[in-house]
Amino acid sequence: MSKPVDVRIDRETPVPLYHQLAEQLSAAIGSGTLQPGDSFENEVAMAERLGLSRPTVRRAIQELVGQGLLLRRRGLGTTVAGRQIHRRAELTSLFDDLRREGAGDPRTEVLTHEVTTDEVAAAALGLPADTPLLHLVRLRRNGDQPLAILRNWLPPAYSDISRAELESDGLYAVLRKRGGKPVVAHQRIGARQPSAAERRHLGLTPSQPVLTMTRTAFDAVGGPVEYGNHCYRAQDYSIEVMLDER
C-alpha cells in the first residue's frame, strides 16, 4: 500500500507548483521516508489530496522518474527505485553528498598521497608546468561498497594536507579549514570503459562503464583550489542538473 507524503505547497511563491512537489517528494526519498520498493501514491489520489491539477502532479512524478528516483512499470504502478547516489551539479564533495543524503557510511582509502608535477593538472589550474602539486588518489566507499576513484591535484598552498585528514573528512571540508573555499568551477561529465585497475578497485566487469567527471575549481578571487579527474560506478551514481531559461 502506498504511503502518502506530507507535502506543503506554497501558492504565494513564484516557484512552480510541480517543482515544489518534486523537491519535497525527492527529499522524502532521500531521507528514507520512502524506501526502495515502496509503492508510490498514484497521481489521481495525490492531486485530489493536495488540491493540485493532474498535469502538475504528473510533471512532478515524471521529474523523479527522469532522475531515477521512481520506476514506472506497466501493470505494477509506480515504485521507489533502488538507492543511487544522486549528486546535484553544485560545488560539493562526494563525501558531503553521502552525508547529506544519509545514504550510508562514507569511507575513504587513500591510495596515493605524493607531491609531484603534472603538466595537464598545472595547465588546468593556470600554474607553471613545473609547479609541485599534491597528487591524491582516493577510493571512496559507501560502507563496504566501492563507489568512486577520486584523483585530485592541489596547489602548493595545500601540500600539508595529511592522509589522516582525507580519511576522516571530505576534501572540500579539509580545504575550507585552510581558507580554500571553491566558489566557481568548470566541470565536464562523460562516460567510458574502466581500466583494469579501476575494475579491480570498483568491483566491475569489463562490460560495465564508469561515469567520469573532471573539475577545476577556483576561489572567490580566481585563485586555483583543485583539479579533479574522477570515475564512478555508473549503476550506483547519477548527476542531477537543474536547467533554466535565460
Side-chain angles (χ1 to χ4, degrees):
M1 184 174 181
S2 62
K3 182 193 301 182
V5 175
D6 184 26
V7 173
R8 306 292 180 181
I9 298 296
D10 184 355
R11 289 176 168 78
E12 302 301 319
T13 179
V15 178
L17 299 181
Y18 83 88
H19 185 65
Q20 292 184 50
L21 178 57
E23 286 290 290
Q24 293 179 65
L25 294 175
S26 175
I29 294 171
S31 69
T33 301
L34 293 175
Q35 292 288 320
D38 282 353
S39 296
F40 195 77
E41 187 176 11
N42 72 66
E43 66 181 48
V44 175
M46 185 177 293
E48 291 179 354
R49 180 170 66 88
L50 300 176
L52 296 172
S53 69
R54 286 185 62 183
T56 295
V57 173
R58 186 179 303 119
R59 184 170 179 183
I61 291 174
Q62 191 56 48
E63 289 276 319
L64 302 185
V65 171
Q67 294 169 23
L69 294 173
L70 295 178
L71 292 175
R72 273 182 160 165
R73 296 172 179 169
R74 187 179 299 276
L76 297 176
T78 303
T79 58
V80 179
R83 185 177 294 282
Q84 287 186 320
I85 305 305
H86 298 274
R87 187 168 189 181
R88 296 176 182 271
E90 58 188 20
L91 279 172
T92 60
S93 70
L94 177 55
F95 193 95
D96 294 336
D97 293 330
L98 287 167
R99 278 189 168 171
R100 178 177 63 185
E101 289 199 3
D105 177 21
R107 301 180 186 180
T108 303
E109 179 184 350
V110 179
L111 304 177
T112 300
H113 181 282
E114 63 180 2
V115 175
T116 186
T117 58
D118 186 287
E119 292 186 8
V120 172
L125 293 168
L127 298 172
D130 59 352
T131 301
L133 306 173
L134 178 60
H135 178 214
L136 307 171
V137 181
R138 295 164 294 148
L139 175 60
R140 177 62 42 75
R141 291 188 174 92
N142 185 16
D144 294 326
Q145 175 66 45
L147 180 63
I149 297 173
L150 311 173
R151 302 178 180 88
N152 293 87
W153 290 261
L154 309 180
Y158 308 114
S159 61
D160 65 329
I161 290 175
S162 69
R163 283 177 174 264
E165 289 177 284
L166 295 166
E167 289 172 349
S168 63
D169 214 340
L171 176 60
Y172 275 20
V174 174
L175 288 169
R176 285 192 292 268
K177 291 175 183 177
R178 288 167 168 75
K181 182 180 179 181
V183 298
V184 65
H186 178 265
Q187 183 167 287
R188 179 179 292 110
I189 299 165
R192 59 173 171 79
Q193 293 303 118
S195 68
E198 290 167 344
R199 290 198 302 270
R200 184 173 68 254
H201 283 303
L202 296 176
L204 298 172
T205 66
S207 63
Q208 291 177 297
V210 289
L211 290 178
T212 63
M213 182 176 70
T214 60
R215 174 190 282 179
T216 309
F218 302 88
D219 62 22
V221 296
V225 176
E226 63 106 5
Y227 171 68
N229 186 351
H230 309 326
C231 67
Y232 307 83
R233 285 172 55 96
Q235 62 266 48
D236 297 321
Y237 189 85
S238 66
I239 297 172
E240 178 182 330
V241 181
M242 177 64 68
L243 303 176
D244 58 73
E245 184 178 15
R246 294 298 183 184

